[in-house]
Amino acid sequence: MDPDTVKSTLSNLAFGNVLVAAARDYQKEVLSKEKAHTATATNEEVDLDELMDDPELEKLHAERIAALKKEAEKRQVLKRQGHGEYREISEGDFLGEVTGSEKVICHFYHREFYRCKIVDKHLKALAPLHIDTKFIKLDAENAPFFVTKLAVQTLPCVILFRNGIAFDRIVGFQDLGGKDDFTTRALENLLKRKGIIDERKNKDNDEDVDDADQGRNRNVRSSTLQDSDSD
């Protein structure tokens, strides 16, 4: 055989052996990684099982479930009392409504007053977000007894009750910048400062407040009757 041919054949054999060895090493590495991954996954499963059997964790889980259940039951009770929506009531219902809940917001309004309609819009948006507080409205023309008893003279007038006692009020828009285009969030913050509503736990509902603000008409005219005496 030609010496050059022999040399070429030996070279090819050597190169082939190198490839075989490399392939074998690569296969070993892949198998090693698979075993390591399987072992890690097994350890994670074991750790998770051990964690789920932890009595402290079970206790925390049970307490959380109990708290959620209690909160759901509380919401149902409040809804049966008229919370969670902005409702109109009659003069005959007034005492029962304001004494039947711990915190109540009552809007004394006039059907013809434009500013009363602005307040309606904002309170309607806030009522579902603050279920601990009851939101109601009362037509001042049809409630002469309580208009006189509570000294309601300027509309809109929002009176705040705690345990059946009127402790504060918002008259007109003087606490809201004196303009018609105040935001729902501005009214919400004012009511929080006055202590009639609490800080919202679920901030996801911010979109509802933003939608209410975006939907308002910024080019509104003040009603000529906005400061009329309720009598």
Side-chain angles (χ1 to χ4, degrees):
M1 181 180 292
D2 182 36
D4 291 336
T5 302
V6 173
K7 184 177 181 181
S8 176
T9 300
L10 291 174
S11 178
N12 289 337
L13 288 173
F15 182 69
N17 290 336
V18 170
L19 289 178
V20 170
R24 187 166 53 248
D25 291 342
Y26 176 73
Q27 187 176 21
K28 287 182 179 179
E29 184 179 352
V30 171
L31 290 174
S32 176
K33 288 182 178 179
E34 288 181 352
K35 289 180 180 179
H37 177 72
T38 301
T40 301
T42 302
N43 289 335
E44 288 178 353
E45 290 176 358
V46 170
D47 292 342
L48 182 59
D49 290 339
E50 292 177 354
L51 188 61
M52 293 304 292
D53 291 334
D54 189 332
E56 289 298 323
L57 182 62
E58 290 183 0
K59 180 181 178 182
L60 289 174
H61 181 67
E63 291 176 350
R64 177 59 176 163
I65 294 298
L68 290 174
K69 183 178 179 180
K70 185 176 180 181
E71 183 66 22
E73 292 173 348
K74 177 184 177 182
R75 290 178 67 88
Q76 289 301 317
V77 171
L78 290 173
K79 285 185 176 181
R80 286 196 293 270
Q81 295 175 350
H83 292 236
E85 60 180 333
Y86 181 48
R87 300 178 294 111
E88 179 159 9
I89 64 169
S90 67
E91 186 174 47
D93 297 329
F94 180 76
L95 278 179
E97 292 283 0
V98 299
T99 59
S101 297
E102 178 187 354
K103 295 184 292 185
V104 180
I105 294 173
C106 183
H107 174 209
F108 283 80
Y109 79 102
H110 191 290
R111 294 182 184 276
E112 302 298 326
F113 291 5
Y114 182 72
R115 281 192 162 184
C116 290
K117 295 177 182 178
I118 294 176
V119 173
D120 280 342
K121 177 184 62 178
H122 293 304
L123 292 181
K124 183 178 181 181
L126 291 175
L129 306 181
H130 296 277
I131 197 168
D132 287 340
T133 301
K134 181 185 292 183
F135 289 70
I136 54 178
K137 58 188 292 190
L138 181 62
D139 187 339
E141 281 194 318
N142 296 325
F145 177 80
F146 289 109
V147 164
T148 301
K149 194 72 174 176
L150 294 167
V152 177
Q153 298 180 348
T154 302
L155 301 179
C157 180
V158 178
I159 301 183
L160 315 179
F161 296 85
R162 184 180 290 115
N163 296 320
I165 299 174
F167 71 92
D168 205 346
R169 64 182 62 196
I170 301 172
V171 180
F173 294 170
Q174 59 188 13
D175 293 332
L176 293 158
K179 298 180 179 180
D180 295 352
D181 62 348
F182 65 89
T183 65
T184 302
R185 198 180 301 278
L187 178 57
E188 181 181 38
N189 289 334
L190 177 59
L191 293 172
K192 280 191 292 187
R193 290 196 300 272
K194 289 181 175 293
I196 195 63
I197 60 175
D198 298 322
E199 186 74 32
R200 279 187 285 117
K201 297 178 182 178
N202 188 358
K203 292 299 183 179
D204 291 341
N205 297 125
D206 279 347
E207 293 182 359
D208 297 334
V209 175
D210 293 336
D211 289 343
D213 289 339
Q214 291 172 5
R216 74 184 186 277
N217 182 0
R218 294 181 179 277
N219 298 317
V220 295
R221 292 184 305 103
S222 298
S223 169
T224 56
L225 298 175
Q226 66 191 22
D227 292 327
S228 296
D229 188 276
S230 59
D231 293 334

